[in-house]
């Protein structure tokens, strides 16, 4: 794409420009750090765009959102940030609209579900950068030994878990509702129960009858029957659940593409199926997206747009997705990945993306509500827990925070 297409407007300055990007690290070692990905991309970009330099600083996920927040607070916002949430910055008027920086073909190429999730008040500010969906993973060896097939309903999942427990499987179903990522496991179950965090018009509906029924079933039919292993769900984190699956100790759990490599590296044979619903396939799977955003502070709208058009080229989107076992955020790259037989293991995740449902990231209250869920939801399924009471409390606080804006 040419610079004249990007952003549909002129430059706010002339001469050499240095763009600053703060990005999250998706790697698990120095060898595959995201810094390496960005360094190679920037080198190629600068070779074809004299007059524009791009400086990329990569931080681990534990730090990157805070780093950007601190930079913005002291009046030193980067030109771009690739982090976990955009709504707070959009709400304060600190971001360019996507249409102000991206060329029309690039903006139109985003997967529709992700475009919608990047909107606040029907205007897109968040540009999806990485995506994944969830599937139910099961240990083929453990299932075969018990004569089981992959479950398609909740009752089948519970029966399979009971059979695995009878054969001495340590964790028939891993239910990570610990503080690391409880909001993800919870949302997947709420979706499979027919509801979710918000209703059709985007209002929080955590304490709906369907959601209460879902957590009550988990409490009574899985946790209460000892089918979730020796660690209480409220204390089990996602990373620990994944590690246990890779050790062959888990019969089933919800997972994203990263788990495939973890399990394969340890020699665990696994299958993947859509998350079961009450009486059939769940109406939707959970989707997750991370976001790119462009800050107005430094006024480099045209240069930002030209660079982001390059970032979102099919070649670069595919390169990033392949490097980190993530799903492409553009339709063109998704179609290219689906057509490549070498990506067969990611096809089930790709198939789920168009109908996936994402966190309500367009709400400025979501970060606080998510933190509340992480702290409280595990208690709901404990032996003395109250699904209805916990959800009612979460709903009250969510409504208050949403009203506060």
């Amino acid at each position: 794409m040419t610079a004249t297409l990007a952003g549909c407007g002129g430059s706010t300055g002339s001469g050499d420009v240095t763009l600053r990007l703060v990005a999250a690290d998706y790697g698990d070692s120095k060898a595959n750090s995201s810094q390496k990905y960005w360094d190679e991309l920037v080198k190629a970009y600068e070779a074809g765009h004299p007059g524009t330099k791009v400086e990329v600083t990569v931080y681990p996920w534990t730090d990157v959102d805070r780093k950007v927040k601190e930079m913005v607070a002291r009046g030193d916002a980067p030109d771009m940030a690739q982090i976990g949430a955009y709504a707070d910055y959009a709400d304060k008027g600190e971001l360019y609209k996507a249409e102000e920086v991206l060329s029309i073909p690039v903006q139109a190429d985003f997967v529709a579900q992700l475009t919608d999730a990047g909107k606040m008040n029907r205007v897109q500010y968040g540009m999806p950068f990485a995506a994944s969906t969830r599937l139910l993973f099961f240990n083929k060896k453990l299932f075969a030994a018990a004569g089981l097939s992959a479950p398609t309903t909740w009752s089948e999942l519970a029966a399979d878990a009971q059979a695995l427990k009878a054969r001495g499987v340590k964790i028939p179903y891993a239910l990570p509702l610990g503080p690391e990522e409880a909001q993800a496991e919870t949302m997947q179950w709420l979706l499979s129960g027919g509801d979710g965090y918000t209703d059709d018009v985007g209002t929080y509906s955590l304490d709906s009858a369907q959601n209460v029924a879902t957590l009550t079933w988990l409490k009574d039919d899985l946790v209460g029957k000892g089918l979730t292993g020796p660690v209480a769900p409220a204390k089990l984190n996602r990373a620990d659940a994944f590690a246990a699956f890779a050790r062959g100790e888990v019969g089933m759990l919800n997972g994203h593409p990263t788990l495939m490599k973890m399990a394969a590296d340890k020699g665990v044979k696994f299958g993947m199926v859509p998350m079961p619903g009450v009486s059939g396939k769940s109406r939707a799977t959970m989707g997750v997206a991370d976001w790119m955003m462009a800050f107005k502070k430094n006024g480099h709208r045209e240069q930002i747009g030209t660079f982001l058009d390059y970032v979102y080229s099919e070649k670069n989107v595919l390169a990033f997705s392949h490097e980190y076992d993530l799903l492409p955020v553009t339709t063109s790259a998704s179609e290219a990945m689906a057509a490549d037989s070498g990506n067969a293991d990611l096809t089930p995740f790709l198939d789920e993306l168009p109908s996936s449902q994402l966190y309500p990231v367009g709400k400025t209250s979501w970060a606080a509500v998510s933190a509340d869920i992480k702290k409280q939801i595990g208690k709901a399924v404990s032996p003395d827990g109250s699904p209805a009471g916990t959800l009612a409390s979460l709903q009250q606080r969510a409504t208050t925070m949403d009203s506060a804006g």
Side-chain angles (χ1 to χ4, degrees):
M1 303 300 169
T2 65
T4 54
L5 281 175
C8 307
S11 173
T12 57
S14 59
D16 291 352
V17 167
T18 297
L19 300 176
R20 292 183 300 149
L21 165 63
V22 175
D25 194 354
Y26 290 81
D28 55 13
S29 67
K30 187 175 181 180
N32 72 341
S33 167
S34 293
Q35 189 71 59
K36 180 180 178 182
Y37 169 82
W38 284 113
D39 287 348
E40 292 175 356
L41 183 149
V42 166
K43 182 179 180 181
Y45 177 78
E46 290 178 347
H49 297 80
T52 301
K53 299 293 183 184
V54 184
E55 295 178 353
V56 183
T57 305
V58 172
Y59 293 104
W61 272 109
T62 52
D63 298 328
V64 68
D65 290 274
R66 175 177 55 81
K67 291 287 187 180
V68 172
K69 185 176 182 180
E70 290 171 351
M71 292 174 71
V72 173
R74 65 174 181 260
D76 187 34
D79 296 284
M80 296 160 285
Q82 185 272 299
I83 52 178
Y86 65 86
D88 281 352
Y89 302 115
D91 186 56
K92 295 173 183 174
E94 295 168 334
L95 302 181
Y96 286 118
K97 301 173 185 177
E99 65 186 27
E100 291 178 313
V101 290
L102 296 176
S103 65
I104 293 172
V106 170
Q107 187 180 7
D109 196 26
F110 289 132
V111 174
Q113 293 290 98
L114 303 179
T115 293
D116 289 342
K119 293 179 178 179
M120 171 180 278
N121 298 325
R122 295 182 292 280
V123 176
Q124 184 181 3
Y125 295 94
M127 294 165 274
F129 183 75
S132 75
T133 54
R134 302 295 168 102
L135 293 172
L136 183 72
F137 282 66
F138 63 95
N139 184 307
K140 284 187 172 181
K141 180 179 179 181
L142 297 178
F143 266 62
L148 304 174
S149 57
T152 60
T153 65
W154 284 5
S155 59
E156 290 177 5
L157 186 150
D160 287 352
Q162 192 68 60
L164 292 170
K165 180 184 179 182
R167 293 187 63 84
V169 173
K170 185 176 181 179
I171 308 173
Y173 179 86
L175 184 66
L177 296 180
E180 178 192 3
E181 205 184 31
Q183 84 285 1
E185 182 74 11
T186 301
M187 182 169 173
Q188 183 60 76
W189 275 102
L190 298 185
L191 290 173
S192 71
D195 206 345
Y197 286 138
T198 58
D199 61 21
D200 292 339
V201 295
T203 302
Y204 285 117
S205 58
L206 282 83
D207 61 347
S208 70
Q210 286 170 297
N211 288 344
V212 171
T214 295
L215 290 191
T216 299
W217 187 87
L218 284 174
K219 178 179 183 291
D220 295 343
D221 289 67
L222 283 189
V223 181
K225 294 183 178 178
L227 302 179
T228 54
V231 178
K235 296 183 179 180
L236 181 64
N237 281 321
R238 189 262 312 161
D240 296 329
F242 276 21
F245 186 84
R247 292 193 299 268
E249 299 172 356
V250 175
M252 297 172 279
L253 83 170
N254 283 314
H256 50 66
T258 303
L259 183 56
M260 294 190 298
K261 186 176 187 302
M262 289 181 62
D265 286 349
K266 297 291 187 179
V268 173
K269 303 295 183 183
F270 59 89
M272 302 178 298
V273 294
M275 178 65 181
V278 178
S279 56
K281 181 184 174 182
S282 171
R283 72 176 179 90
T285 190
M286 188 191 74
V288 176
D290 301 321
W291 304 97
M292 178 73 76
M293 61 212 69
F295 285 89
K296 296 178 180 179
K297 177 71 175 178
N298 303 313
H300 298 144
R301 180 167 69 91
E302 183 177 334
Q303 293 88 350
I304 290 170
T306 307
F307 177 66
L308 289 180
D309 275 359
Y310 183 78
V311 168
Y312 284 109
S313 67
E314 181 181 311
K315 177 187 74 172
N316 287 326
V317 172
L318 280 172
F320 183 85
S321 301
H322 282 137
E323 179 66 30
Y324 299 107
D325 285 329
L326 292 164
L327 303 183
V329 296
T330 61
T331 300
S332 60
S334 295
E335 290 174 348
M337 179 176 278
D340 184 350
S341 60
N343 296 311
D345 54 349
L346 283 172
T347 298
F349 294 97
L350 278 171
D351 290 343
E352 294 294 309
L353 187 58
S355 62
S356 64
Q357 186 167 324
L358 282 76
Y359 299 130
V361 289
K363 288 179 170 290
T364 57
S365 59
W366 169 242
V369 172
S370 175
D372 258 10
I373 293 169
K374 291 179 183 181
K375 293 177 184 176
Q376 304 295 332
I377 203 70
K379 300 175 184 177
V381 299
S382 64
D384 58 350
S386 169
T390 299
L391 289 174
S393 175
L394 287 169
Q395 174 67 24
Q396 183 178 22
R397 285 177 53 80
T399 300
T400 299
M401 288 185 283
D402 203 36
S403 299

